[in-house]
Amino acid sequence: MNELATTYSPGEIEGKWYKYWEESKFFAASMDDNKPNYSIVIPPPNVTGILHMGHILNNSIQDVLVRYKRMSGYNTLWMPGTDHAGIATQNKVERKLADEGLTKEDLGRDEFIRQVWEWKEQYGGAITNQLRKIGASLDWQRERFTMDEGLSESVKDIFIKLFNDGLIYQGEYMVNWCPRCGTALADDEVEHEEKAGFLWNLRYPVKDSDEFLVIATTRPETMLADVAIAVNPNDERYSHLVGKSVILPLVGREIPVIADEYVDMEFGTGALKITPAHDPNDFALGQKFNLPIINMMTPDGKVSNEYPAYAGMDRFDARKKMVEDLDAQGFLVKVESHSHNVGGCYRCNTVIEPRVSKQWFVKMEPLAKKALEVVRNGKVKLMPKRWEKVYYNWLENIRDWCISRQIWWGHRIPAWYGPDMHIFVAKTDEDAYAQAKAHYGKDVELTQETDVLDTWFSSALWPFSTLGWPAKTPELDKFYPTSTLVTGADILFFWVARMVMFGMYTMDD
Ligand SMILES: [Zn+2]
């Protein structure tokens, strides 16, 4: 007779039974027309990740809900899968390469991507094994990955649809730039923090005069790219200087003094240096006054070659050196302590640099309208209810979404450029070439866009792309819209609101 062990040892028991459950397909979705349906999609964990306590709680809640419905006689689907996590995954593989003394450029794009896939095969499975360990009753036969073939097709489909509907556009805009990751970030991927800093007061000599204009700045290095000084038209201290020019210290360039109501007479000296390439407000003012855009910085945050004295220096080293030079040459008036808001990259914490560059955007307002409506009319319920207010506030003040990322790991934007930079958006190379031939009336060379899409772009399709969209599958018919979503409030905008928007856009007609 077998003795019953006095202590419970999960190692001997849990693994055995989970394997039996999985092999017996107890968690497989049924498709019985006579039963009611219940579905949940898992918030796809990053392939880079391992489960933390938040995942355990979150997935246990989903498991309880699904098991309850399954035992109550529903067709249940709990859809498993993982997210390719663009920047996070690329960072992991770049770090691994760095240990070998290599960069991704050494490998080239194709080889780098091959190595990321290899990394994903080797390490990407940790989290799905952990989910099995906690007994999560997911329908594993349906497991998806945001970069698998089907989902990659869905991404192209919705991109093309949005582009053809005029909801995706490309343009030169001010974006949040992470010099370490070498990519643009969306507004909400920047974490703001009050930091102690300095306000440097610098004097710019007025041309053909003994006068100086004193400006105050928190980022003196950007002065290399100044294109104007702005004052308030009602500011009597400066009215005689409007229309004149000043000579930019260290650079010697002549720049105009302009007047605009936007300038706050109370801040600093009331005179503002205008640097359209490096500040969002200056960018807007530059557009209004048709000022040139001068970029003084390389994508990795160093001073560009146009300024030999500082070329190649890191932005913060250049700041130090330039302040010393300004002081030595008599242009530094004073330095004040000043706490100000500094943005950091949510992936690597590097200080964000506002930067003008060519990016792709989704026009959000038309999409937000429907997403607001379905929460207001109760079709989509947020729990706890207090989050509704936060949701409304975000969607009512929504800005266009910058979806292009200058990294390699992700869904490459399905766009090609003609010789005159005409854009062809297509699912395949052949399609793009055929469109171009029709457009130009002859064969031409095309260049494919090198940017990839924001990771949240593909996760915004998750509830319907995993069910086979754009094909009209029986699964989509039964299980979409999904019944419940259990996720963290911190991704209400990154993910939840965008899923509602894309869902309403694609599935509502
Ligand atoms: Zn970063």
Side-chain angles (χ1 to χ4, degrees):
M1 191 177 106
N2 274 338
E3 285 274 333
L4 194 61
T6 50
T7 52
Y8 166 67
S9 54
E12 285 166 31
I13 296 171
E14 299 291 347
K16 181 180 104 188
W17 286 110
Y18 196 89
K19 193 160 169 261
Y20 172 69
W21 293 344
E22 196 178 339
E23 283 171 359
S24 309
K25 300 191 172 42
F26 292 151
F27 308 144
S30 57
M31 300 288 287
D32 187 339
D33 285 338
N34 300 313
K35 287 180 175 179
N37 306 307
Y38 183 84
S39 59
I40 297 183
V41 286
I42 197 171
N46 290 347
V47 281
T48 50
I50 51 164
L51 292 186
H52 53 61
M53 287 310 283
H55 287 121
I56 307 280
L57 173 66
N58 175 353
N59 284 292
S60 299
I61 294 170
Q62 294 172 59
D63 199 25
V64 167
L65 292 169
V66 162
R67 283 173 186 266
Y68 172 70
K69 291 291 183 182
R70 193 180 289 126
M71 290 189 286
S72 308
Y74 284 67
N75 289 317
T76 55
L77 168 62
W78 187 11
M79 174 70 76
T82 49
D83 192 290
H84 67 283
I87 298 178
T89 308
Q90 175 153 332
N91 282 354
K92 292 261 182 196
V93 179
E94 279 185 289
R95 232 170 282 158
K96 183 188 131 240
L97 287 176
D99 290 342
E100 300 160 20
L102 291 169
T103 66
K104 68 178 193 300
E105 285 75 18
D106 293 334
L107 302 186
R109 186 167 185 140
D110 290 347
E111 174 58 16
F112 178 75
I113 289 172
R114 199 192 60 76
Q115 294 209 8
V116 181
W117 275 107
E118 211 174 81
W119 185 93
K120 188 246 167 198
E121 298 308 327
Q122 199 173 348
Y123 303 102
I127 213 157
T128 51
N129 287 329
Q130 288 177 301
L131 285 167
R132 287 177 168 92
K133 286 274 181 220
I134 64 166
S137 63
L138 289 142
D139 185 357
W140 289 110
Q141 299 167 91
R142 296 179 184 271
E143 182 180 355
R144 302 305 296 265
F145 176 53
T146 49
M147 292 251 295
D148 71 28
E149 212 174 302
L151 266 54
S152 300
E153 289 298 299
S154 307
V155 165
K156 285 185 201 165
D157 276 307
I158 195 168
F159 185 95
I160 293 168
K161 181 170 154 68
L162 286 161
F163 183 83
N164 291 337
D165 285 347
L167 292 172
I168 281 185
Y169 63 93
Q170 191 194 44
E172 292 262 356
Y173 288 91
M174 178 62 65
V175 293
N176 308 293
W177 184 267
C178 174
R180 204 226 60 88
C181 297
T183 183
L185 297 170
D187 291 331
D188 37 23
E189 288 175 317
V190 178
E191 288 172 348
H192 293 276
E193 200 187 333
E194 260 321 277
K195 275 191 180 160
F198 297 98
L199 202 54
W200 284 271
N201 286 239
L202 308 175
R203 52 193 208 168
Y204 289 13
V206 177
K207 195 192 170 194
D208 300 327
S209 125
D210 305 329
E211 272 190 89
F212 291 94
L213 244 173
V214 178
I215 58 97
T217 177
T218 57
R219 295 187 300 153
E221 67 281 5
T222 61
M223 68 160 294
L224 297 175
D226 285 356
V227 297
I229 299 294
V231 297
N232 192 297
N234 305 314
D235 196 333
E236 286 168 8
R237 292 172 294 179
Y238 302 121
S239 43
H240 66 292
L241 295 176
V242 175
K244 296 199 169 174
S245 340
V246 297
I247 306 295
L248 195 55
L250 305 181
V251 181
R253 191 165 61 233
E254 194 179 316
I255 60 175
V257 180
I258 60 173
D260 193 90
E261 303 267 354
Y262 157 75
V263 180
D264 180 0
M265 288 160 60
E266 308 297 321
F267 181 77
T269 61
L272 204 62
K273 73 194 239 348
I274 303 300
T275 325
H278 300 282
D279 180 276
N281 297 319
D282 293 9
F283 179 75
L285 205 64
Q287 299 257 298
K288 186 171 166 187
F289 283 83
N290 205 13
L291 298 170
I293 295 173
I294 296 179
N295 198 327
M296 49 71 63
M297 211 179 281
T298 60
D300 57 350
K302 297 190 170 98
V303 177
S304 71
N305 288 333
E306 271 93 280
Y307 308 93
Y310 310 101
M313 290 176 82
D314 174 79
R315 54 189 166 151
F316 298 116
D317 298 335
R319 175 181 297 180
K320 200 162 160 260
K321 176 79 170 71
M322 284 172 58
V323 168
E324 281 169 22
D325 292 351
L326 286 161
D327 192 18
Q329 295 173 35
F331 295 116
L332 180 65
V333 181
K334 61 175 174 177
V335 187
E336 298 165 282
S337 294
H338 175 72
S339 87
H340 61 138
N341 196 303
V342 177
C345 170
Y346 84 130
R347 289 292 185 203
C348 75
N349 217 17
T350 300
V351 174
I352 289 301
E353 201 61 52
R355 185 167 190 271
V356 170
S357 58
K358 194 180 262 183
Q359 302 290 345
W360 293 84
F361 294 84
V362 177
K363 209 178 269 178
M364 295 298 264
E365 221 190 308
L367 299 172
K369 219 173 252 169
K370 281 191 174 177
L372 276 165
E373 208 176 280
V374 290
V375 174
R376 286 209 176 105
N377 68 21
K379 203 171 161 192
V380 174
K381 289 189 189 68
L382 298 183
M383 289 180 281
K385 203 172 162 56
R386 64 190 160 88
W387 286 100
E388 285 179 4
K389 230 170 92 185
V390 183
Y391 179 90
Y392 294 147
N393 194 281
W394 188 68
L395 287 176
E396 281 163 359
N397 298 291
I398 200 153
R399 295 176 57 181
D400 287 351
W401 174 18
C402 173
I403 49 169
S404 41
R405 297 291 181 273
Q406 290 68 49
I407 56 174
W408 289 351
W409 176 241
H411 298 280
R412 191 159 172 182
I413 290 179
W416 284 257
Y417 301 97
D420 57 353
M421 294 309 273
H422 185 92
I423 296 171
F424 301 94
V425 165
K427 276 194 96 162
T428 61
D429 249 3
E430 295 82 58
D431 270 7
Y433 274 93
Q435 280 184 38
K437 189 165 185 177
H439 176 79
Y440 295 108
K442 59 174 181 181
D443 286 317
V444 292
E445 271 302 305
L446 299 180
T447 327
Q448 196 185 347
E449 172 62 62
T450 53
D451 288 358
V452 303
L453 289 163
D454 180 5
T455 303
W456 298 103
F457 189 91
S458 49
S459 36
L461 317 182
W462 188 247
F464 48 95
S465 63
T466 52
L467 295 173
W469 182 90
K472 291 192 182 345
T473 61
E475 283 83 356
L476 204 54
D477 190 45
K478 273 206 172 359
F479 294 116
Y480 189 89
T482 55
S483 317
T484 312
L485 175 76
V486 186
T487 191
D490 55 335
I491 52 176
L492 183 61
F493 308 135
F494 281 131
W495 190 43
V496 181
R498 287 170 182 163
M499 274 193 295
V500 177
M501 283 189 255
F502 276 8
M504 295 307 297
Y505 172 64
T506 54
M507 299 298 297
D508 200 36
D509 40 52

